[in-house]
């Protein structure tokens, strides 16, 4: 049965409904520039009607806002996270490979002042050519020895820089793991807040938006699978939902619970590549279980730090199938070993053997002296007699031998002792520059050019894929914004609509008040 002030109550409900909608619009306009904010809307419906006492029907009781929800397409979120993971991986590779290219400094940007391989090689062989004209001139010998030292130091510098880059990337991996754990903890805390806020049947729109922003950041760091599943029913009858994030099938976030990742320093038994520096990080779960990273910035860092074309290291551990820092260190080591051995020991077999430096004679009649050896643990050149195994030579310890550094006269130039004017050995050494059979890639310069070209191709590929992924991510983000973003024009239009509704309900209250005033105060009055 309707009360005496039934019509007034209906109008008041209309006021409240319009006011609630205006509050939602105000909230939208305030957050138009808030990252990750999803536009909200009031769910308005007709209030429960009343049955007429005489059974002739039902009378409406006005309108009410039953919930405030947000515009969100979860499918677009899943697409965004998947593509962001790939974008994170390739953007990291693009950045790190660019650092490798700078290390090579080839081709040199300044032909006169450059320090690239081509520039240094040209100077090294120019002085060797000059020495072949004046094999007995000590000043030319001194200049040639200095260029040889510069030539060796180029590779020393390259080896040291690559190792430093590997250490820097390793530190970056540790930082990224800390960031992953921090984001996971924040998501776990938000899950708890969302659960508590939704116990009464409401939807924690703003908290859910905050969680989505955190998942956006996490998806760029590592490959994740995020899902919200129904695990039961709340006391109020609503669905009890748990939000989980997993990596490789194991939960990083399981509603409130967070299982963190950790970094463990490798020991000698777990070295992936012989070329690796010491104490690199492996990534594990906090409970000690292994984890495989398949995407994100972490994947890009791991591939670049450890990648050696999938080769199996000294402990039977396979590296990532990627050309990373160990690959380029290995190639530089291969270059100096093959080049130094050929330079010293010659190439080919009898009767086509071409003599190298150790088979020639110096000004003092000495022979058997190696031109290149290695640095000892104190950083000093080893004598040729103390050096036998070229496999121990690396780009970092490659150097001119102690014999040559101590005495210019031991630089071998001739095939016969005492023949000061003979430069046959020097001519052989100069000829090695164009020996197409020294490496499978060809001559020494062909080898280095192929190495630089491969790096350039890999760098361009990373840049191309990164740019493509950025375009895809931007497109998906635009789609998300078209669904969830706040349009100021649309909100202002809705504001005018609900303002008119509010004014109309207020006018209805005024009208009802006049009716009641007439009924109560003026009925029967003459």
């Amino acid at each position: 049965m309707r009360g005496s002030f039934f019509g007034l109550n209906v109008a008041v409900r209309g006021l409240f409904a319009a006011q609630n909608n205006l509050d939602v619009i105000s909230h939208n306009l305030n957050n138009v520039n808030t990252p990750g904010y999803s536009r909200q809307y009031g769910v308005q419906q007709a209030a429960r009607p009343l049955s007429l006492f005489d059974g002739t029907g039902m009378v409406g009781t006005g309108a009410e806002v039953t919930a405030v929800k947000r515009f969100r397409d979860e499918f677009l979120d899943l697409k965004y996270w998947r593509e962001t993971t790939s974008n994170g991986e390739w953007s990291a590779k693009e950045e790190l490979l660019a650092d490798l290219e700078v290390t090579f400094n080839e081709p040199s940007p300044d032909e006169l002042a450059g320090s690239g391989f081509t520039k240094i090689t040209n100077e090294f062989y120019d002085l060797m050519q000059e020495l072949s004209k004046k094999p007995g001139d000590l000043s030319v010998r001194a200049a040639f020895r200095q260029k040889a030292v510069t030539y060796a130091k180029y590779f020393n510098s390259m080896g040291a820089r690559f190792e430093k880059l590997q250490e820097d990337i390793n530190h970056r991996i540790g930082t990224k793991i800390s960031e992953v754990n921090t984001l996971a903890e924040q998501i776990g805390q938000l899950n708890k807040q969302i659960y508590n806020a939704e116990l009464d049947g409401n939807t924690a729109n703003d908290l859910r938006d905050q969680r989505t922003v955190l998942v956006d950041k996490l998806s760029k760091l590592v490959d994740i699978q995020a899902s919200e599943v129904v695990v039961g029913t709340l006391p109020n009858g609503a669905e009890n939902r748990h939000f989980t994030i997993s990596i490789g099938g194991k939960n990083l976030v399981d509603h409130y619970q967070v299982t963190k990742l950790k970094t463990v320093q490798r020991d000698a038994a777990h070295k992936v590549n012989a070329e690796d520096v010491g104490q690199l990080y492996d990534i594990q779960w906090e409970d000690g279980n292994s984890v495989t990273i398949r995407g994100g910035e972490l994947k890009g860092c791991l591939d670049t730090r450890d990648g050696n074309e999938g080769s199996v290291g000294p402990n039977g551990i396979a590296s990532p199938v990627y050309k990373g820092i160990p690959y380029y260190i290995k190639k530089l080591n291969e270059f100096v070993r093959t080049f130094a051995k050929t330079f010293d020991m010659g190439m080919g077999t009898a009767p086509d053997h071409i003599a190298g430096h150790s088979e020639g004679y110096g000004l003092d009649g000495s022979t058997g002296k190696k031109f290149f050896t290695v640095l000892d643990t104190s950083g000093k050149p080893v004598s040729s007699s103390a050096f036998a195994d070229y496999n121990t030579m690396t780009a970092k310890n490659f150097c001119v031998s102690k014999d040559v550094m101590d005495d210019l006269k031991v630089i071998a130039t001739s095939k016969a002792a005492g023949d000061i004017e003979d430069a046959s050995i020097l001519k052989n050494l100069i000829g090695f520059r164009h020996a197409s059979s020294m490496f499978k890639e060809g001559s020494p310069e062909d080898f280095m050019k192929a190495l630089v070209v491969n790096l350039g191709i890999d760098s361009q590929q990373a840049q191309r894929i990164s740019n493509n992924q950025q375009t895809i991510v931007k497109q998906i983000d635009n789609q998300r914004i078209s669904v969830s973003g706040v349009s100021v024009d649309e909100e202002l239009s809705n504001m005018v609509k609900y303002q008119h509704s509010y004014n109309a309900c207020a006018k209805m209250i005024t009208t009802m008040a006049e009716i009641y005033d007439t009924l109560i105060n003026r009925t029967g009055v003459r």
Side-chain angles (χ1 to χ4, degrees), residues 430-474:
I430 294 171
F432 291 158
R433 179 179 187 179
H434 304 292
S436 60
S437 59
M438 187 180 297
F439 300 94
K440 65 180 181 180
E441 292 85 358
S443 68
E445 288 172 82
D446 290 334
F447 179 97
M448 291 298 293
K449 287 177 182 177
L451 191 62
V452 173
V453 167
N454 283 335
L455 175 58
I457 292 173
D458 289 344
S459 180
Q460 288 178 355
Q461 180 194 41
Q463 183 179 19
R464 182 172 61 255
I465 296 176
S466 176
N467 290 339
N468 290 341
Q469 286 300 129
Q470 287 177 13
T471 301
I472 293 172
V473 168
K474 183 63 176 176

Side-chain angles (χ1 to χ4, degrees), residues 130-137 141 361-363 413-427:
E130 186 68 22
L131 181 60
S132 69
K133 299 175 184 176
K134 304 175 183 178
D137 192 325
R141 283 174 172 258
Y361 292 85
L363 285 180
T413 57
S414 64
K415 288 184 177 180
D419 190 350
I420 298 176
E421 298 302 322
D422 180 31
S424 302
I425 292 295
L426 281 176
K427 292 178 181 178

Side-chain angles (χ1 to χ4, degrees), residues 163-265:
E163 288 188 356
K164 183 63 170 63
L165 277 174
Q166 194 175 43
E167 291 174 350
D168 290 344
I169 296 173
N170 189 59
H171 176 73
R172 184 172 181 175
I173 288 171
T175 302
K176 295 297 180 185
I177 292 299
S178 298
E179 192 174 346
V180 167
N181 290 334
T182 300
L183 289 171
E185 286 183 329
Q186 293 174 349
I187 292 170
Q189 292 169 1
L190 278 172
N191 284 341
K192 192 168 189 177
Q193 295 175 33
I194 291 170
Y195 175 79
N196 292 331
E198 295 182 349
L199 281 174
D200 59 357
N202 290 319
T203 304
N205 297 310
D206 295 327
L207 293 176
R208 286 179 171 272
D209 285 342
Q210 292 175 32
R211 185 175 67 185
T212 300
V213 171
L214 295 179
V215 178
D216 287 351
K217 294 179 180 178
L218 185 61
S219 66
K220 190 170 185 179
L221 295 174
V222 64
D223 57 305
I224 60 171
Q225 295 78 44
S227 62
E228 190 170 26
V229 296
V230 178
V231 295
T233 305
L234 296 173
N236 59 11
E239 293 178 337
N240 183 8
R241 292 177 172 269
H242 279 199
F243 186 79
T244 62
I245 297 176
S246 63
I247 300 175
K250 182 170 180 174
N251 285 338
L252 174 70
V253 179
D254 185 6
H255 204 38
Y256 305 161
Q257 301 299 320
V258 175
T259 303
K260 295 182 180 179
L261 297 173
K262 68 176 181 179
T263 54
V264 180
Q265 286 188 339

Side-chain angles (χ1 to χ4, degrees), residues 55-188:
T56 57
M58 305 183 77
V59 62
T61 59
E64 60 183 355
V65 175
T66 59
V68 177
K69 296 186 177 182
R70 61 178 186 155
F71 288 98
R72 199 79 198 183
D73 189 331
E74 294 182 359
F75 174 68
L76 290 177
D77 287 336
L78 293 175
K79 284 181 63 179
Y80 182 86
W81 296 334
R82 183 176 64 250
E83 298 300 337
T84 300
T85 298
S86 181
N87 180 40
E89 175 185 347
W90 288 101
S91 61
K93 287 179 177 178
E94 177 189 6
E95 177 185 346
L96 296 173
L97 290 179
D99 291 340
L100 294 183
E101 287 188 295
V102 171
T103 300
F104 272 107
N105 192 27
E106 189 69 29
S108 177
D110 187 335
E111 190 63 28
L112 295 178
S115 57
F117 173 79
T118 301
K119 177 73 173 176
I120 290 173
T121 300
N122 287 338
E123 292 176 349
F124 175 63
Y125 280 102
D126 286 347
L127 261 297
M128 198 184 302
Q129 188 73 42
E130 186 68 22
L131 181 60
S132 69
K133 299 175 184 176
K134 304 175 183 178
D137 192 325
L138 292 180
S139 63
V140 179
R141 283 174 172 258
F144 168 62
R145 182 179 65 184
Q146 186 56 45
K147 285 301 177 184
V149 170
T150 302
Y151 186 80
K153 284 186 175 180
Y154 167 80
F155 289 96
N156 300 158
S157 174
M158 291 283 288
R161 286 179 184 176
F162 278 123
E163 288 188 356
K164 183 63 170 63
L165 277 174
Q166 194 175 43
E167 291 174 350
D168 290 344
I169 296 173
N170 189 59
H171 176 73
R172 184 172 181 175
I173 288 171
T175 302
K176 295 297 180 185
I177 292 299
S178 298
E179 192 174 346
V180 167
N181 290 334
T182 300
L183 289 171
E185 286 183 329
Q186 293 174 349
I187 292 170

